[in-house]
Amino acid sequence: MKLTAITLSVFLAGATSILAAGPEVKFLKQEHDFGAFDENDGTVRCRFTYVNTGDEPLSIVASRATCGCTSSFYTKTPVEPGDTGYVEVTYNPIGRPGRFGKKVYVDFNTERPRQTLLIRGVVIGSSNTLRGRYPIDAGAIKLRSDNILLGEVLRGKSKTSFLEVYNATTDSLSPQWTYIPRGLRINTGTPTVGPGEQVTYTLYFVPEKYMYGIFTDSLMLQASPLDEPVKIDMIAIVDEDFSRLTPGQRREAPAIDIGNSVLEFGELDRNGGPVTRSFTFRNSGRSTMLVRRVYTTDPGITVTTTAEKLKKGKEATVHVTVDPMAIPSEILNGRISIIVNDPLNPTSIVRAVGMVR
């Protein structure tokens, strides 16, 4: 097909009035932005038009996309000097929510054969796709998970975790974090999440000095002022770092000695009120023992201890109180954790057992 004189002048602006020797290609544009569109809209397409500015027929030798989601179709017959051809590029968004950028390489029978075309856009995922990838509904945004599982974190060191967020709307959002636990820092990067875009938040946790053992807390993420905040739970196991102790320091370290690791409560009456039992542990090492934490995470059980420091040979008593009304089953099987600065046994477990009638 022939271009009008005005259109052709745009292509040839700045060029000499004499056509170049051999075939030459010039694209009207080589990039196309689809913007934001719904996955359910299906395959999108655009057309790139080119003109033969040379003096011999111009042909496409090959056209190749960078992935299977992108296809190209093009003019098969040679394009005469001054005529136009096209390359049509399609993108299949099914199962591909989020921002994309794809290249198509087109090879011509020219001196510099390769031309590169670029398409971009943002796919707003369908409900079915998002349900599998981002199952947590937080209003305008979806989350990959509502838990931050940090695992073991050594005192004095940091642990990193990630949280993926997806904007399922056609508007830009600026999610807000509140009630951030102590010791946790969030790198939000860009504060705005564009339509259909995914953002990965990086979370850094550095335990504070009072944190030992299992540490649980939560924080809130609000997608927009119109959405209810969603709670995100975090859990870490904070351990003391003994890696820098010398062999001599280890020999002189405190050592915990618990005579019995089972505390019997026998048969408990659910309507009979709380019952308290006690056990002791001693420092059989060579230096002062620091009692970092004595605790339980089991419902219906509370614990207290009589000492925070134990000199060599001294002992401490732990009082364990069980409220039968708060025990969720007929079997009592609670775990009391004792955390001390013993490098060989920093955490010891005593089980509280019994039956609830």
Side-chain angles (χ1 to χ4, degrees):
M1 54 184 172
K2 295 286 186 178
L3 288 176
T4 65
I6 295 177
T7 306
L8 184 58
S9 67
V10 174
F11 288 120
L12 302 180
T16 64
S17 59
I18 301 175
L19 294 175
E24 289 292 333
V25 62
K26 185 175 180 62
F27 276 92
L28 178 63
K29 64 174 184 177
Q30 291 182 249
E31 296 184 8
H32 180 79
D33 191 342
F34 289 103
F37 61 95
D38 291 332
E39 178 185 350
N40 288 333
D41 291 343
T43 299
V44 293
R45 64 191 67 241
C46 65
R47 178 169 288 199
F48 297 93
T49 301
Y50 63 88
V51 64
N52 180 1
T53 60
D55 62 1
E56 293 181 9
L58 173 68
S59 299
I60 293 178
V61 178
S63 178
R64 180 176 60 86
T66 54
C67 79
C69 58
T70 307
S71 301
S72 63
F73 309 90
Y74 53 87
T75 302
K76 300 295 185 179
T77 57
V79 174
E80 297 297 325
D83 276 355
T84 61
Y86 69 86
V87 177
E88 185 172 278
V89 179
T90 66
Y91 178 76
N92 181 2
I94 303 303
R96 300 179 177 92
R99 182 170 292 279
F100 68 89
K102 303 296 179 181
K103 292 180 179 180
V104 175
Y105 300 111
V106 185
D107 293 334
F108 290 87
N109 63 332
T110 54
E111 183 178 353
R112 294 182 178 180
R114 176 152 294 184
Q115 299 287 325
T116 302
L117 307 178
L118 173 66
I119 61 170
R120 62 168 66 92
V122 180
V123 179
I124 299 174
S126 67
S127 58
N128 288 336
T129 297
L130 296 180
R131 193 177 298 115
R133 296 193 180 191
Y134 303 94
I136 308 302
D137 190 345
I141 60 175
K142 313 298 178 185
L143 307 179
R144 182 68 62 94
S145 172
D146 58 358
N147 291 290
I148 302 170
L149 306 177
L150 293 162
E152 182 188 36
V153 186
L154 294 178
R155 297 238 334 126
K157 298 183 178 180
S158 66
K159 191 69 174 289
T160 302
S161 184
F162 303 94
L163 188 73
E164 294 182 20
V165 169
Y166 181 82
N167 179 358
T169 73
T170 56
D171 299 319
S172 293
L173 299 173
S174 298
Q176 299 296 313
W177 294 90
T178 55
Y179 300 101
I180 300 173
R182 294 175 64 89
L184 184 67
R185 183 167 63 87
I186 303 172
N187 183 4
T188 58
T190 173
T192 301
V193 185
E197 289 192 348
Q198 172 192 294
V199 168
T200 300
Y201 292 107
T202 305
L203 302 97
Y204 304 93
F205 178 64
V206 180
E208 305 231 331
K209 64 180 181 179
Y210 66 88
M211 297 177 183
Y212 287 94
I214 297 177
F215 174 75
T216 59
D217 209 327
S218 62
L219 60 161
M220 308 295 286
L221 177 61
Q222 187 175 20
S224 72
L226 300 178
D227 288 313
E228 289 292 326
V230 62
K231 186 177 79 163
I232 299 172
D233 294 316
M234 66 167 285
I235 183 169
I237 302 173
V238 182
D239 292 330
E240 193 159 351
D241 185 5
F242 297 103
S243 62
R244 296 184 179 181
L245 292 183
T246 65
Q249 289 173 322
R250 290 180 178 273
R251 286 192 296 270
E252 297 297 319
I256 189 170
D257 182 8
I258 297 178
N260 193 345
S261 60
V262 177
L263 184 61
E264 292 280 358
F265 276 81
E267 189 169 299
L268 298 168
D269 183 354
R270 195 171 289 280
N271 298 313
V275 177
T276 299
R277 299 278 189 272
S278 301
F279 67 89
T280 61
F281 64 92
R282 63 188 294 271
N283 178 10
S284 60
R286 298 181 178 181
S287 60
T288 299
M289 176 181 292
L290 303 177
V291 182
R292 303 298 195 187
R293 187 184 179 193
V294 179
Y295 72 102
T296 181
T297 59
D298 292 298
I301 304 176
T302 57
V303 296
T304 59
T305 185
T306 59
E308 295 181 353
K309 293 182 180 181
L310 291 177
K311 292 184 178 180
K312 175 183 176 180
K314 299 297 182 180
E315 68 177 27
T317 301
V318 178
H319 302 292
V320 182
T321 300
V322 173
D323 181 359
M325 286 291 290
I327 302 302
S329 70
E330 295 181 353
I331 299 176
L332 171 65
N333 187 17
R335 290 165 55 97
I336 295 92
S337 300
I338 305 99
I339 301 177
V340 298
N341 63 329
D342 176 356
L344 293 180
N345 296 289
T347 302
S348 300
I349 303 295
V350 172
R351 289 194 172 274
V353 300
M355 300 295 295
V356 182
R357 304 296 186 192

